[in-house]
Amino acid sequence: MDARQMKIKAAEAALDYVEDGMRLGIGTGSTAEEFVRLLAEKVATGFRIQGVPTSERTARLCLELGVPLKSLDELPELDLTVDGADEVDRKLRLIKGGGGALLREKIVAAASARMVVIADESKVVDVLGAFKLPIEINPFGQIATRIAIEKAASRLGLAGDITIRASGDGPFMTDGGHLILDASFGRIPDAEALAAELNAIPGVVEHGLFIGMSSLAIIAGPEGARVLMAA
């Protein structure tokens, strides 16, 4: 089973949690896109959902495949969000934002009664941080913000390159018009403490640490999909 087949297996298993008539947050990224394709097949047979996309990229795919969409302002309270993750640990703490949609992903997840994560085995880690931590920042004062992040990380014993994410000849811009810093900390032993430090920095719009937001994760491997509950 290759990587895409594992993503499809996780997405298939997530559909079991989606009920007819649900208000559904729809995530961003390659695994979430497999979920959208499978969801669209069900919608084509008469299955009813109202979807809220977490990015313009997801919105375009949903519209292309016929998945009905609403804005979060139209549906401010959701039943369920299904989304991927760049890393997930045994306590269901996540790193997200590899696709650049972390702010909208977190807003949608927070508006949902439940969040189900879909991922393949390669995303499961004992300690978060091997994947670079995305930190969404305001363009104004970006150097001062990066210095503040470096100082906050140092207080927690963390170090590593913090670089502006690029796209083509310029910086990557999020759907909200912000920049993303990718922080190569290597290991984040205390994710809660780092989240608190980052939340206190005015130039930080949001960060990719999703803590206490996921109710379960569906993890696909060569033998099929399994459910990971918080340890």
Side-chain angles (χ1 to χ4, degrees), residues 56-194:
E56 299 301 322
R57 170 180 162 184
T58 294
R60 286 192 295 269
L61 181 61
C62 288
L63 292 173
E64 176 187 330
L65 297 178
V67 175
L69 296 182
K70 297 284 187 180
S71 71
L72 190 58
D73 287 334
E74 292 173 301
L75 295 179
E77 294 182 312
L78 304 176
D79 301 303
L80 175 70
T81 285
V82 176
D83 203 350
D86 298 301
E87 282 189 346
V88 53
D89 72 7
R90 309 291 174 177
K91 294 183 178 180
L92 297 187
R93 294 174 295 194
L94 316 172
I95 285 182
K96 289 178 52 56
L102 61 105
L103 174 61
R104 293 191 185 186
E105 287 173 333
K106 192 172 282 189
I107 292 171
V108 170
S112 304
R114 298 182 73 195
M115 178 185 185
V116 171
V117 171
I118 48 177
D120 62 77
E121 286 281 4
S122 69
K123 306 298 174 60
V124 180
V125 298
D126 291 324
V127 180
L128 296 176
F131 190 90
K132 295 178 182 179
L133 176 65
I135 305 170
E136 189 162 342
I137 66 168
N138 195 297
F140 178 81
Q142 59 184 274
I143 295 175
T145 299
R146 179 176 55 78
I147 291 171
I149 292 169
E150 290 170 346
K151 289 179 178 178
S154 180
R155 288 193 290 271
L156 297 174
L158 302 174
D161 291 338
I162 300 175
T163 58
I164 293 178
R165 186 178 298 182
S167 177
D169 295 330
F172 175 89
M173 300 297 292
T174 69
D175 288 340
H178 304 127
L179 301 172
I180 289 185
L181 298 178
D182 289 311
S184 302
F185 292 136
R187 288 169 61 89
I188 305 172
D190 192 340
E192 288 83 358
L194 179 58

Side-chain angles (χ1 to χ4, degrees), residues 12-37:
E12 286 176 341
L15 280 176
D16 291 340
Y17 295 87
V18 182
E19 299 175 6
D20 189 63
M22 267 190 167
R23 300 161 297 175
L24 182 66
I26 305 174
T28 296
S30 58
T31 308
E33 286 176 1
E34 300 298 347
F35 173 77
V36 171
R37 293 185 179 96

Side-chain angles (χ1 to χ4, degrees), residues 177-227:
H178 304 127
L179 301 172
I180 289 185
L181 298 178
D182 289 311
S184 302
F185 292 136
R187 288 169 61 89
I188 305 172
D190 192 340
E192 288 83 358
L194 179 58
E197 289 276 3
L198 294 175
N199 288 338
I201 298 171
V204 171
V205 177
E206 194 47 86
H207 55 78
L209 291 168
F210 283 53
I211 300 172
M213 304 192 79
S214 176
S215 54
L216 62 89
I218 298 170
I219 307 298
E223 306 302 319
R226 63 185 175 92
V227 174

